Amino acid sequence: MATPSGTRTSVSTHILDTSLGRPAAGVSVELSVRRRADAAWAAHAVSRTDADGRCKDLPALPEGTAHARVRFEVEPYLVRAGHTPFFPEAVVVFAVERGEHYHVPLLLNPFGYSVYRGS
């Protein structure tokens, strides 16, 4: 939903397989939201990374979202890439402020991952 200034609270992501030095294509991604820390999560969107490892179709977050959660289902990708995965999924939870854009890149390898707030 648009804020009074016309900006939207949005989320984007991409995944880089750091063991191969290339984007991770075909990874299922689920975006969930909640209004308070003690509230239940509500599914908001599902997507799949493209050939560049990006999800370009995630919708703006609902007005009043306090936290967002991105769940990356990485095990099928890692198996296809010839890895023996340790983590079947990577989950990132972060606080949300109205009108901000959150780019959440995932740097992935078979035995670990890291995330950061990008631009």
Side-chain angles (χ1 to χ4, degrees):
M1 174 172 275
T3 62
S5 65
T7 60
R8 298 163 67 91
T9 305
S10 58
V11 175
S12 61
T13 189
H14 76 271
I15 306 173
L16 177 65
D17 181 335
T18 57
S19 67
L20 299 175
R22 68 176 189 221
V27 176
S28 293
V29 176
E30 178 185 279
L31 176 62
S32 299
V33 297
R34 65 183 179 191
R35 293 187 176 272
R36 301 178 324 274
D38 61 347
W41 289 104
H44 182 61
V46 292
S47 187
R48 184 171 294 277
T49 57
D50 63 14
D52 195 32
R54 298 180 182 279
C55 290
K56 297 179 181 174
D57 59 351
L58 295 174
L61 299 180
E63 190 71 33
T65 297
H67 298 130
R69 178 178 69 188
V70 183
R71 187 179 70 79
F72 303 91
E73 189 177 334
V74 298
E75 185 173 41
Y77 164 79
L78 291 168
V79 169
R80 285 192 310 271
H83 302 305
T84 302
F86 180 68
F87 296 104
E89 64 183 16
V91 179
V92 181
V93 176
F94 55 96
V96 172
E97 290 187 35
R98 188 172 124 187
E100 291 285 318
H101 173 69
Y102 296 91
H103 184 61
V104 184
L106 180 71
L107 303 177
L108 176 66
N109 72 68
F111 303 104
Y113 62 89
S114 64
V115 296
Y116 60 95
R117 183 177 178 183
S119 59

